[in-house]
Amino acid sequence: MNDSNVIGAILGMERTNLSLTISKVCDGLCSASTYNRYESGKMLPDKFMLSALLERMGKNPNRIVYTVTDEEHKLLDIKKKLKESILDNDYERTKEYFDEYSDIPKTRCKNIHKQLEFEIEGELCRMKGDTEETLSLYRKALEQTFKKKSLDNINESLYTVREFKLLYKIGEINDFDLL
């Protein structure tokens, strides 16, 4: 059994066990036909897409041993540095890592990467104290994978960790409880 078949079997088993529809799992992340190719083993999702899909199903994506490409490894390394610089509230380092991340051409999962870029831009605005622009960028980040959902049916949707955190940040700025 190759990697595609193993990953496909895991996705299919988890989705079926949770009685979830394909459209509910992949909404805003990829098309249903692409997801079908993942689940059938005809196509292998990259690390970022696999993580997002498993998170939507409430599963820890770090429990799956997965070989990443050199591009994915470089992006993951920069994401780790970005997270640390944001936690340190270090504007200059965050900007430096953001520029480095943005300069790498992304061949797959462009909406997931664009979501992170908008979120980081929002963090940079937050560090400068621009609340209005921070909120706008967090919303743009959320819209990258939250296209079909509305805040009206927020309790019925599935979320990745990043989507959930963005909702929390938006709610925190607006001083209301979305969740």
Side-chain angles (χ1 to χ4, degrees), residues 27-56:
D27 184 30
L29 295 174
C30 64
S31 68
S33 61
T34 297
Y35 182 86
N36 273 323
R37 287 194 292 274
Y38 295 152
E39 210 173 273
S40 68
K42 293 178 182 167
M43 193 168 140
L44 186 65
D46 72 1
K47 170 70 175 159
F48 304 101
M49 180 61 70
L50 179 61
S51 292
L53 292 168
L54 288 170
E55 287 174 1
R56 284 262 176 99

Side-chain angles (χ1 to χ4, degrees), residues 82-90 94 126-127:
L82 276 164
K83 185 177 181 179
E84 291 168 358
S85 65
I86 289 168
L87 286 173
D88 292 341
N89 217 31
D90 187 331
T94 302
R126 180 193 55 78
M127 288 179 204

Side-chain angles (χ1 to χ4, degrees), residues 104-137:
I104 297 172
K106 284 75 168 186
T107 56
R108 297 174 72 186
C109 305
K110 293 178 182 179
N111 57 336
I112 293 172
H113 295 294
K114 194 67 180 163
Q115 182 176 62
L116 178 65
E117 290 176 11
F118 279 129
E119 182 181 6
I120 300 305
E121 285 182 284
E123 291 296 331
L124 289 167
C125 287
R126 180 193 55 78
M127 288 179 204
K128 291 191 316 186
D130 188 345
T131 304
E132 190 173 312
E133 187 62 16
T134 299
L135 183 58
S136 172
L137 288 162

Side-chain angles (χ1 to χ4, degrees), residues 16-29:
T16 304
N17 287 344
L18 295 167
S19 301
L20 297 172
T21 64
I22 288 173
S23 62
K24 191 153 186 140
V25 172
C26 70
D27 184 30
L29 295 174

Side-chain angles (χ1 to χ4, degrees), residues 52-69:
L53 292 168
L54 288 170
E55 287 174 1
R56 284 262 176 99
M57 292 186 251
K59 302 300 174 187
N60 182 350
N62 297 325
R63 296 188 70 199
I64 294 179
V65 177
Y66 195 79
T67 304
V68 296
T69 65

